[in-house]
């Protein structure tokens, strides 16, 4: 099943097929949720922990939990799929973007789409700008260059 045919709907087969992006071997039930890092229009981002085995150290991730009903009712399915595609393209094949979290795995259940990502603490740019406005010119140039770079890639 390729990216364009992926359906955001309750589907255990889709969950199995899209659950292991980087072959980490993470099963969704093995993720232990600790706290909410943030909330948005479609759901929450939670801090989760996973341990491959008792011998391995625990690893911490961010889990974006998106409501399928909210996505469907607002008509944002294409946006969510584009976000997922961008994260995979920017971080696939050993490439890395320093300000974009790496998408590690996706899961689907009856009501939610989950995106497991590396944790990037610090918040989102929009909130940062609201809290720090007005920004120094150097910062504005830096953030503008990052956004411009992303726009040229698509």
């Amino acid at each position: 099943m390729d990216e364009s045919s992926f359906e955001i709907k309750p589907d255990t087969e889709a969950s199995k097929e899209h659950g292991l992006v980087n072959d980490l071997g993470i099963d969704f039930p093995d993720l232990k949720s600790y706290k909410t890092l943030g909330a948005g229009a479609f759901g929450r981002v939670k801090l989760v922990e996973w341990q491959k085995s008792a011998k391995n150290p625990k690893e911490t991730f961010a889990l974006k939990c998106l409501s399928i009903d909210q996505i469907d009712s607002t008509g944002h399915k294409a946006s969510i799929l584009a976000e997922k595609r961008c994260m995979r393209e920017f971080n696939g094949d050993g490439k890395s973007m320093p300000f974009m979290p790496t998408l590690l795995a996706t899961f689907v259940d009856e009501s939610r789409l989950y995106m497991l990502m590396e944790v990037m603490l610090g918040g989102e740019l929009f909130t940062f700008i609201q809290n720090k406005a007005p920004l120094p010119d150097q910062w504005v140039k830096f953030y503008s260059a990052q956004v411009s770079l992303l726009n040229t890639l698509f």
Side-chain angles (χ1 to χ4, degrees), residues 21-39:
V21 177
N22 285 337
D23 202 26
L24 296 173
I26 297 175
D27 288 324
F28 187 75
D30 294 338
L31 296 172
K32 185 175 182 182
S33 179
Y34 280 94
K35 69 180 217 170
T36 298
L37 295 175

Side-chain angles (χ1 to χ4, degrees), residues 6-116:
F6 178 69
E7 295 280 327
I8 297 177
K9 65 180 183 179
D11 182 22
T12 55
E13 288 307 308
S15 181
K16 288 177 189 169
E17 188 164 339
H18 291 272
L20 302 173
V21 177
N22 285 337
D23 202 26
L24 296 173
I26 297 175
D27 288 324
F28 187 75
D30 294 338
L31 296 172
K32 185 175 182 182
S33 179
Y34 280 94
K35 69 180 217 170
T36 298
L37 295 175
F42 303 121
R44 300 185 173 283
V45 177
K46 296 183 177 187
L47 183 67
V48 297
E49 194 175 73
W50 174 72
Q51 190 171 11
K52 189 172 187 170
S53 70
K55 295 184 280 185
N56 296 76
K58 293 178 181 177
E59 296 182 58
T60 306
F61 303 101
L63 183 67
K64 191 172 196 175
C65 311
L66 304 166
S67 166
I68 293 171
D69 288 341
Q70 279 291 102
I71 294 166
D72 287 342
S73 68
T74 57
H76 283 88
K77 177 180 171 182
S79 298
I80 299 300
L81 290 173
E83 176 184 3
K84 185 175 152 188
R85 189 188 84 247
C86 287
M87 287 172 47
R88 283 208 178 136
E89 285 181 17
F90 285 134
N91 295 303
D93 300 327
K95 295 181 285 183
S96 179
M97 294 287 288
F99 302 111
M100 183 169 293
T102 300
L103 178 64
L104 302 168
T106 58
F107 306 94
V108 178
D109 67 16
E110 304 81 36
S111 61
R112 299 201 182 282
L113 169 66
Y114 303 93
M115 295 181 176
L116 186 68

Side-chain angles (χ1 to χ4, degrees), residues 100-153:
M100 183 169 293
T102 300
L103 178 64
L104 302 168
T106 58
F107 306 94
V108 178
D109 67 16
E110 304 81 36
S111 61
R112 299 201 182 282
L113 169 66
Y114 303 93
M115 295 181 176
L116 186 68
M117 304 174 277
E118 70 176 314
V119 177
M120 293 186 111
L121 302 176
E124 62 181 359
L125 180 59
F126 180 75
T127 304
F128 178 74
I129 290 171
Q130 282 184 316
N131 294 335
K132 297 285 185 182
L135 299 178
D137 286 347
Q138 287 178 311
W139 294 13
V140 171
K141 289 175 185 176
F142 175 78
Y143 293 124
S144 298
Q146 297 302 310
V147 172
S148 297
L149 174 64
L150 288 174
N151 285 332
T152 61
L153 297 173

